[in-house]
Amino acid sequence: MLLNLTIVAGDGIGPEVIEEAIRVLEVVSAAFGHDLKLTRKNIGGAALMACNDPLPPDTLAACLNSGAVLLGAVGSPAFDKNPGHLRPEAGLLRLRRELGAYANLRPAVCFPALLEGSPLRAEVVKGTDILIVRELLGGLYFGQPRSLEGEPGSRQALNTMRYGEPEIERIARVAFELARGRRRQVLSVDKANVLECSRLWREVVTRIASDYPDVKLAHQYVDSAAMLLVLRPADFDVILTENMFGDILSDQAGGVVGALGLLASASIGGPVGLYEPVHGSAPDIAGKGIANPLGAILSAAMLLRHSFRLEREAGCIESAVQAVLAAGHRTRDLAKPCQSSSSTTEMGRKVTEAVRSLSAGSSRTGVQEKSA
Ligand code: IPM
Ligand code: MG
């Protein structure tokens, strides 16, 4: 199969972690007999520096013409004073919209080897395996009107939370479908005691649930869901929620499993999927070679699974990451104070070695068998 990817490494630690993900993709492609074609483009702060546009037209065109997009991170304090449309984040938000990527999947799993890495007691976090399904193109992020106007001292700012029934319906279906491949539980998170958007959300999600009688649906207010996520994280299966609540809860879930650097994400639903680690650009550690590449590497696994239906290849990467962690390798964010740590490239190399040994024997024949 031809894996035609656009790589937008972006800002901060983005380029460092993406290099490791690319190495892993190269090894997996070679092992399973796929051709990898990469087109590298600018986004975010890197694109603002190059041409004062956080999503230049050639970047967008390349993304739209590829089989999938792998993104590092966007964001840099250098642009903090820029107006909204000239901030790095504007490039990412526009890319999500142009790709029609309305479904953001953010798994948060407590890896057995990292049980002690969570700030929560091991017995609380043990077995945690959550999939957050975040609506990505609606709500406060995109709602119109939006503005900031007036004279200093009496300025007013406005954002609009807006959801239409079809938007809620399509994301709800994604959550129910994915729940079928898991523990068949969907928790829909809203603020229906206060917000009209949430009342509509709850009504539509409940209606869609009747098409999935085999999946158990429950509802939770977002404040109480945030508390339960810390008290009993292992009880959650699929969390279905709107854009802003999903942004907040997914970082919290990263804290719960103690490894934000490990979290991967997929933004799908449109013609081209977008894959990125959840951790962000981390400007404080950029260029030091200590960033954790596993979030980017696991995002590459999600890319193979969701955009190319290459389940074996995705599973091979995930098993390699588990094996590397089980063997005790840690980047600095994962290491205990007494433990030695691996650099970004050392960690990447460990994963490629593990992919090589796990895929030995998975020849082209294996792939053909699978797709037959
Ligand atoms: C995320 C990030 C983005 C978001 C920012 C960088 C625009 O926080 O992917 O969670 O808020 O969606
Ligand atoms: Mg976020």
PDB file of all heavy atoms in Angstrom, residues 96-110:
ATOM      1  N   ARG A  96      -7.960  21.664  11.108  1.00  0.00           N
ATOM      2  CA  ARG A  96      -9.001  20.731  11.542  1.00  0.00           C
ATOM      3  C   ARG A  96     -10.287  20.973  10.762  1.00  0.00           C
ATOM      4  O   ARG A  96     -10.950  20.031  10.322  1.00  0.00           O
ATOM      5  CB  ARG A  96      -9.276  20.910  13.050  1.00  0.00           C
ATOM      6  CG  ARG A  96      -8.173  20.388  13.942  1.00  0.00           C
ATOM      7  CD  ARG A  96      -8.438  20.765  15.403  1.00  0.00           C
ATOM      8  NE  ARG A  96      -7.405  20.226  16.291  1.00  0.00           N
ATOM      9  CZ  ARG A  96      -7.270  20.557  17.571  1.00  0.00           C
ATOM     10  NH1 ARG A  96      -8.101  21.430  18.124  1.00  0.00           N
ATOM     11  NH2 ARG A  96      -6.321  20.021  18.297  1.00  0.00           N
ATOM     12  N   ARG A  97     -10.634  22.248  10.615  1.00  0.00           N
ATOM     13  CA  ARG A  97     -11.890  22.574   9.943  1.00  0.00           C
ATOM     14  C   ARG A  97     -11.827  22.217   8.463  1.00  0.00           C
ATOM     15  O   ARG A  97     -12.740  21.605   7.917  1.00  0.00           O
ATOM     16  CB  ARG A  97     -12.210  24.056  10.125  1.00  0.00           C
ATOM     17  CG  ARG A  97     -13.690  24.339   9.905  1.00  0.00           C
ATOM     18  CD  ARG A  97     -13.996  25.812  10.035  1.00  0.00           C
ATOM     19  NE  ARG A  97     -13.230  26.579   9.080  1.00  0.00           N
ATOM     20  CZ  ARG A  97     -12.770  27.817   9.300  1.00  0.00           C
ATOM     21  NH1 ARG A  97     -12.973  28.398  10.456  1.00  0.00           N
ATOM     22  NH2 ARG A  97     -12.102  28.453   8.371  1.00  0.00           N
ATOM     23  N   GLU A  98     -10.710  22.577   7.821  1.00  0.00           N
ATOM     24  CA  GLU A  98     -10.597  22.304   6.373  1.00  0.00           C
ATOM     25  C   GLU A  98     -10.586  20.809   6.088  1.00  0.00           C
ATOM     26  O   GLU A  98     -11.032  20.368   5.033  1.00  0.00           O
ATOM     27  CB  GLU A  98      -9.318  22.939   5.804  1.00  0.00           C
ATOM     28  CG  GLU A  98      -9.240  24.452   5.970  1.00  0.00           C
ATOM     29  CD  GLU A  98      -9.999  25.210   4.887  1.00  0.00           C
ATOM     30  OE1 GLU A  98     -10.544  24.561   3.982  1.00  0.00           O
ATOM     31  OE2 GLU A  98     -10.044  26.456   4.974  1.00  0.00           O
ATOM     32  N   LEU A  99     -10.053  20.031   7.026  1.00  0.00           N
ATOM     33  CA  LEU A  99     -10.027  18.576   6.836  1.00  0.00           C
ATOM     34  C   LEU A  99     -11.358  17.930   7.226  1.00  0.00           C
ATOM     35  O   LEU A  99     -11.526  16.725   7.070  1.00  0.00           O
ATOM     36  CB  LEU A  99      -8.886  17.944   7.642  1.00  0.00           C
ATOM     37  CG  LEU A  99      -7.456  18.339   7.238  1.00  0.00           C
ATOM     38  CD1 LEU A  99      -6.438  17.627   8.129  1.00  0.00           C
ATOM     39  CD2 LEU A  99      -7.176  18.033   5.774  1.00  0.00           C
ATOM     40  N   GLY A 100     -12.247  18.718   7.785  1.00  0.00           N
ATOM     41  CA  GLY A 100     -13.541  18.160   8.211  1.00  0.00           C
ATOM     42  C   GLY A 100     -13.387  17.165   9.356  1.00  0.00           C
ATOM     43  O   GLY A 100     -14.210  16.261   9.532  1.00  0.00           O
ATOM     44  N   ALA A 101     -12.325  17.350  10.147  1.00  0.00           N
ATOM     45  CA  ALA A 101     -11.998  16.376  11.206  1.00  0.00           C
ATOM     46  C   ALA A 101     -12.825  16.680  12.456  1.00  0.00           C
ATOM     47  O   ALA A 101     -12.356  17.334  13.378  1.00  0.00           O
ATOM     48  CB  ALA A 101     -10.503  16.439  11.507  1.00  0.00           C
ATOM     49  N   TYR A 102     -14.054  16.192  12.477  1.00  0.00           N
ATOM     50  CA  TYR A 102     -14.963  16.558  13.578  1.00  0.00           C
ATOM     51  C   TYR A 102     -14.855  15.629  14.785  1.00  0.00           C
ATOM     52  O   TYR A 102     -15.352  15.935  15.855  1.00  0.00           O
ATOM     53  CB  TYR A 102     -16.410  16.619  13.084  1.00  0.00           C
ATOM     54  CG  TYR A 102     -16.976  15.277  12.652  1.00  0.00           C
ATOM     55  CD1 TYR A 102     -17.508  14.391  13.570  1.00  0.00           C
ATOM     56  CD2 TYR A 102     -16.968  14.901  11.305  1.00  0.00           C
ATOM     57  CE1 TYR A 102     -18.019  13.168  13.178  1.00  0.00           C
ATOM     58  CE2 TYR A 102     -17.486  13.686  10.902  1.00  0.00           C
ATOM     59  CZ  TYR A 102     -18.005  12.818  11.845  1.00  0.00           C
ATOM     60  OH  TYR A 102     -18.505  11.608  11.458  1.00  0.00           O
ATOM     61  N   ALA A 103     -14.207  14.473  14.598  1.00  0.00           N
ATOM     62  CA  ALA A 103     -14.155  13.498  15.698  1.00  0.00           C
ATOM     63  C   ALA A 103     -12.726  13.353  16.206  1.00  0.00           C
ATOM     64  O   ALA A 103     -11.851  12.870  15.498  1.00  0.00           O
ATOM     65  CB  ALA A 103     -14.677  12.148  15.226  1.00  0.00           C
ATOM     66  N   ASN A 104     -12.506  13.790  17.417  1.00  0.00           N
ATOM     67  CA  ASN A 104     -11.171  13.736  18.005  1.00  0.00           C
ATOM     68  C   ASN A 104     -11.128  12.589  19.021  1.00  0.00           C
ATOM     69  O   ASN A 104     -11.823  12.618  20.033  1.00  0.00           O
ATOM     70  CB  ASN A 104     -10.893  15.087  18.685  1.00  0.00           C
ATOM     71  CG  ASN A 104      -9.488  15.221  19.248  1.00  0.00           C
ATOM     72  OD1 ASN A 104      -9.280  15.880  20.252  1.00  0.00           O
ATOM     73  ND2 ASN A 104      -8.520  14.600  18.620  1.00  0.00           N
ATOM     74  N   LEU A 105     -10.317  11.585  18.716  1.00  0.00           N
ATOM     75  CA  LEU A 105     -10.216  10.423  19.593  1.00  0.00           C
ATOM     76  C   LEU A 105      -8.956  10.545  20.432  1.00  0.00           C
ATOM     77  O   LEU A 105      -7.856  10.679  19.886  1.00  0.00           O
ATOM     78  CB  LEU A 105     -10.148   9.130  18.769  1.00  0.00           C
ATOM     79  CG  LEU A 105     -11.088   9.018  17.563  1.00  0.00           C
ATOM     80  CD1 LEU A 105     -10.954   7.639  16.926  1.00  0.00           C
ATOM     81  CD2 LEU A 105     -12.530   9.300  17.953  1.00  0.00           C
ATOM     82  N   ARG A 106      -9.125  10.507  21.731  1.00  0.00           N
ATOM     83  CA  ARG A 106      -7.971  10.641  22.629  1.00  0.00           C
ATOM     84  C   ARG A 106      -7.977   9.515  23.661  1.00  0.00           C
ATOM     85  O   ARG A 106      -8.642   9.612  24.690  1.00  0.00           O
ATOM     86  CB  ARG A 106      -8.018  12.004  23.326  1.00  0.00           C
ATOM     87  CG  ARG A 106      -7.937  13.131  22.329  1.00  0.00           C
ATOM     88  CD  ARG A 106      -7.693  14.472  22.968  1.00  0.00           C
ATOM     89  NE  ARG A 106      -7.158  15.376  21.960  1.00  0.00           N
ATOM     90  CZ  ARG A 106      -6.770  16.610  22.189  1.00  0.00           C
ATOM     91  NH1 ARG A 106      -6.824  17.108  23.403  1.00  0.00           N
ATOM     92  NH2 ARG A 106      -6.288  17.354  21.217  1.00  0.00           N
ATOM     93  N   PRO A 107      -7.240   8.460  23.381  1.00  0.00           N
ATOM     94  CA  PRO A 107      -7.175   7.376  24.356  1.00  0.00           C
ATOM     95  C   PRO A 107      -6.281   7.767  25.533  1.00  0.00           C
ATOM     96  O   PRO A 107      -5.268   8.431  25.335  1.00  0.00           O
ATOM     97  CB  PRO A 107      -6.518   6.214  23.580  1.00  0.00           C
ATOM     98  CG  PRO A 107      -6.284   6.717  22.184  1.00  0.00           C
ATOM     99  CD  PRO A 107      -6.439   8.191  22.181  1.00  0.00           C
ATOM    100  N   ALA A 108      -6.660   7.386  26.725  1.00  0.00           N
ATOM    101  CA  ALA A 108      -5.797   7.567  27.912  1.00  0.00           C
ATOM    102  C   ALA A 108      -5.750   6.222  28.627  1.00  0.00           C
ATOM    103  O   ALA A 108      -6.736   5.785  29.219  1.00  0.00           O
ATOM    104  CB  ALA A 108      -6.343   8.649  28.831  1.00  0.00           C
ATOM    105  N   VAL A 109      -4.596   5.580  28.516  1.00  0.00           N
ATOM    106  CA  VAL A 109      -4.453   4.222  29.027  1.00  0.00           C
ATOM    107  C   VAL A 109      -3.353   4.210  30.079  1.00  0.00           C
ATOM    108  O   VAL A 109      -2.331   4.870  29.920  1.00  0.00           O
ATOM    109  CB  VAL A 109      -4.072   3.258  27.870  1.00  0.00           C
ATOM    110  CG1 VAL A 109      -3.846   1.849  28.385  1.00  0.00           C
ATOM    111  CG2 VAL A 109      -5.155   3.275  26.798  1.00  0.00           C
ATOM    112  N   CYS A 110      -3.606   3.469  31.144  1.00  0.00           N
ATOM    113  CA  CYS A 110      -2.559   3.310  32.149  1.00  0.00           C
ATOM    114  C   CYS A 110      -1.744   2.070  31.788  1.00  0.00           C
ATOM    115  O   CYS A 110      -2.195   0.945  31.958  1.00  0.00           O
ATOM    116  CB  CYS A 110      -3.184   3.159  33.530  1.00  0.00           C
ATOM    117  SG  CYS A 110      -1.957   2.864  34.783  1.00  0.00           S
TER     118      CYS A 110
END
